[in-house]
Amino acid sequence: MKIALNLFDFTQKVNYRNEILAGLTVAMTMIPESLSFAILAGFPPLVGLYAAFIAGLITAVFGGRPGMVSGGAGATVVVLIALMRSNGLEYVFAAVALAGVIQILIGLFKFSKFIRLVPQPVMYGFVNGLAIIIFMAQLNQFKVLSNGQLTWLQGEPLMIMIGLVALTIAIVVLFPKITKKIPASLVAIIVVFALVVGFGINTKTVQDIASVKGGFPPFHIPNIPFSLEAFKIILPYSMIFAAVGLTEGLLTLNLVDEMTGTKGNGNRECIAQGTSNIANGFFFGMGGCPMIAQTLVNLSAGSRARLSGIIAAITILLIILFGAPIIGKLPMAALVGVMIMVAFGTFEWASFKIIKKMPKHDIFVGVLVAIITVILHNLALAVLVGVIISALVFAWESAKRIRARTTIDAEGIKHYDIYGPLFFGSVMAFSEKFTVAEDPDTIIINFKESRITDMSAIEAVNSITKKYSEAGKTVHLQNLSADCIRLLNNAEAVIDVNIIKDPEYLVAIEK
């Protein structure tokens, strides 16, 4: 049971008061966000709330990271907008379910480890971009629908909104100085709610966005043709949805690991996420993934276990079933204030302190990832671009490290001592180190401080040996590691060289 459900691991100290209060706070912030994203995509509002309940509950119980909160996130919803407009809601449900299957397969095959390829500058850009998105999303609450267009609030409604948001922020900042036993964000929501209801203040509320009243999520098989054509329609959306969800989820998991000093399980999170999305597809949910804003609200409220996520999900369901009239009166200003403080807490302000010490290409990558995240709202694309640029920079820097030191021994044999990795990026510089015409009849290329790593490197060595062979000279390779020898043996059809047998070197491996 300890392995299956950390919630019931009684050796773990769980602060039940913090967990319950954190769960209630998270639920309050998830409701308007889920409604907003559902409406943005053209879904029925309840589809967003069902996603928050289903994804939140399943990932809280079975996920790989206690304290992380999942729901109907904007990053994944954006992927489905085009499918909704072209084929309708039934295809959306089918695409979400198929995305869940893909995510489970990724978890079963343990592909989550590839998140290690994301470098720190990309993480900075990802976090800062999300912080800006969270902040910018709150500005829409200062607008009102007029004649079919969103226009800024003006006059008294604007002043009331600004005043209530400022009050919320002040409570969130100052209340922890009084006590940290109760989440400041929950106190701020309750106080502003009481003021608005008690004094009859006319301001924007949750029910102005959409109704939150409904029943239990009904079971429903997506009504689409069971055909190859339908599969071809939903597959691209499902793959992108799965990639975006897992990218955001695994990056959020790493972020929580750093904040809590503990270790999550990425593969388990993939499987839990996939399971929740399959359930979403069959229970009228729009699907989702871990939500960094709500996760940070949860952590800042003191949650470190699974209970808060379960409480948040059950609270959302109870609100759908019974609490809609009360929650509908919740002022949006209180939720906006809380989310603004979450945005400020999410932003990596430390990145400004170390920016002068970072290499220029790392600064460029971080800024570019943040810009793509903010402008396109496509986290997967932003991270992919960042990783590719970082990899190219690494390849370029590694290519410059290839060096050769030459000596001629008493027998007239010339030795080339190679330093640095030999791979596709460094083969040109490697080839330029040799002077075939001036060299003696026998040369030895020493790879003690180098490694042959890919087919381009094999071809470069082959090219050099051919040049010496055509000149009637002999080449020997020395101090090749066992993996390099295996690589060359596998490429015997391409290259035929003399390898000087070296002692067996033992290499430490990780079990």
Side-chain angles (χ1 to χ4, degrees):
M1 184 63 72
K2 178 179 178 182
I3 297 174
L5 296 175
N6 288 352
L7 172 66
F8 303 110
D9 175 12
F10 293 109
T11 63
Q12 176 190 19
K13 289 186 178 180
V14 178
N15 189 321
Y16 290 95
R17 179 189 60 204
N18 279 2
E19 295 296 319
I20 293 171
L21 293 177
L24 294 174
T25 307
V26 168
M28 295 302 102
T29 61
M30 283 182 73
I31 288 173
E33 189 164 341
S34 298
L35 288 172
S36 298
F37 287 136
I39 294 170
L40 172 67
F43 304 150
L46 276 175
V47 171
L49 293 183
Y50 287 153
F53 162 64
I54 295 170
L57 181 63
I58 292 177
T59 56
V61 175
F62 300 106
R65 175 67 268 177
M68 198 159 74
V69 178
S70 295
T76 50
V77 170
V78 170
V79 174
L80 302 173
I81 293 177
L83 181 62
M84 176 64 184
R85 292 174 179 172
S86 62
N87 294 86
L89 192 59
E90 296 295 334
Y91 276 81
V92 168
F93 292 145
V96 169
L98 180 58
V101 174
I102 295 171
Q103 290 175 328
I104 288 177
L105 291 175
I106 290 173
L108 290 176
F109 286 105
K110 299 184 178 181
F111 287 156
S112 71
K113 60 187 176 182
F114 290 110
I115 198 67
R116 301 172 189 167
L117 297 176
V118 179
Q120 192 63 37
V122 176
M123 281 290 290
Y124 279 138
F126 152 73
V127 172
N128 292 344
L130 280 180
I132 295 171
I133 287 177
I134 294 170
F135 178 80
M136 296 297 292
Q138 308 316 307
L139 298 181
N140 287 331
Q141 303 304 329
F142 289 87
K143 297 178 181 179
V144 63
L145 191 63
S146 177
N147 297 325
Q149 291 185 338
L150 285 174
T151 58
W152 290 98
L153 292 170
Q154 295 180 356
E156 184 178 344
L158 178 60
M159 292 299 104
I160 291 174
M161 188 74 171
I162 292 174
L164 293 175
V165 170
L167 175 61
T168 304
I169 292 174
I171 294 173
V172 172
V173 172
L174 299 176
F175 189 79
K177 297 181 180 179
I178 300 173
T179 178
K180 294 183 179 180
K181 294 182 178 181
I182 303 175
S185 49
L186 181 60
V187 173
I189 291 172
I190 293 173
V191 169
V192 174
F193 178 70
L195 282 175
V196 169
V197 174
F199 290 95
I201 300 173
N202 184 20
T203 186
K204 191 176 182 180
T205 60
V206 170
Q207 66 188 7
D208 293 328
I209 299 177
S211 172
V212 296
K213 184 178 181 180
F216 192 86
F219 177 77
H220 169 75
I221 298 176
N223 185 19
I224 69 169
F226 191 74
S227 64
L228 182 61
E229 289 72 19
F231 180 75
K232 288 179 179 178
I233 291 173
I234 65 173
L235 181 60
Y237 294 98
S238 298
M239 294 178 66
I240 297 172
F241 184 102
V244 170
L246 291 184
T247 301
E248 182 158 0
L250 294 173
L251 289 177
T252 304
L253 185 145
N254 280 1
L255 183 65
V256 177
D257 284 351
E258 291 181 8
M259 294 178 66
T260 61
T262 56
K263 184 68 176 174
N265 187 323
N267 294 314
R268 179 173 171 177
E269 183 61 34
C270 293
I271 295 172
Q273 227 186 105
T275 304
S276 75
N277 281 320
I278 292 175
N280 264 285
F282 287 96
F283 285 92
F284 270 97
M286 65 182 183
C289 67
M291 305 172 74
I292 188 169
Q294 278 65 32
T295 297
L296 292 171
V297 168
N298 194 37
L299 295 177
S300 64
S303 170
R304 292 297 182 271
R306 299 179 183 276
L307 183 58
S308 61
I310 297 172
I311 293 293
I314 293 175
T315 300
I316 290 172
L317 178 62
L318 293 176
I319 288 170
I320 294 171
L321 299 176
F322 310 110
I326 297 175
I327 296 301
K329 296 178 181 179
L330 196 68
M332 287 303 301
L335 303 176
V336 168
V338 169
M339 297 307 292
I340 287 176
M341 291 309 299
V342 168
F344 275 91
T346 304
F347 198 91
E348 285 282 0
W349 300 101
S351 57
F352 287 119
K353 295 181 181 178
I354 63 173
I355 196 167
K356 293 182 179 179
K357 301 177 182 179
M358 293 172 64
K360 291 181 180 179
H361 55 79
D362 283 346
I363 298 172
F364 172 76
V365 168
V367 173
L368 181 63
V369 170
I371 290 173
I372 294 175
T373 303
V374 171
I375 294 177
L376 300 181
H377 287 212
N378 191 329
L379 177 62
L381 177 62
V383 172
L384 179 62
V385 170
V387 170
I388 290 174
I389 294 177
S390 297
L392 291 174
V393 170
F394 173 78
W396 178 259
E397 294 297 324
S398 298
K400 295 192 295 185
R401 294 177 188 158
I402 196 76
R403 306 186 312 279
R405 186 179 65 184
T406 60
T407 56
I408 298 178
D409 61 21
E411 298 178 1
I413 299 173
K414 188 172 183 179
H415 295 256
Y416 283 88
D417 297 325
I418 307 300
Y419 297 84
L422 184 56
F423 68 111
F424 67 91
S426 59
V427 293
M428 185 174 293
F430 168 79
S431 299
E432 292 173 351
K433 306 296 182 185
F434 297 91
T435 54
V436 179
E438 294 108 16
D439 285 349
D441 291 338
T442 304
I443 72 160
I444 295 176
I445 306 177
N446 187 349
F447 285 93
K448 186 177 182 180
E449 302 297 333
S450 181
R451 288 291 180 272
I452 297 173
T453 59
D454 60 11
M455 194 63 200
S456 296
I458 292 175
E459 179 56 36
V461 174
N462 182 43
S463 177
I464 289 297
T465 58
K466 276 187 176 180
K467 290 179 181 178
Y468 279 104
S469 178
E470 290 170 357
K473 301 175 182 179
T474 304
V475 176
H476 299 278
L477 304 186
Q478 188 178 32
N479 287 323
L480 284 169
S481 63
D483 56 331
C484 293
I485 293 174
R486 281 195 300 271
L487 198 61
L488 289 172
N489 288 338
N490 291 337
E492 285 180 350
V494 178
I495 182 171
D496 181 20
V497 296
N498 296 313
I499 300 176
I500 298 177
K501 185 66 177 177
D502 299 308
E504 188 76 22
Y505 292 101
L506 296 180
V507 180
I509 59 172
E510 180 182 351
K511 290 188 177 181

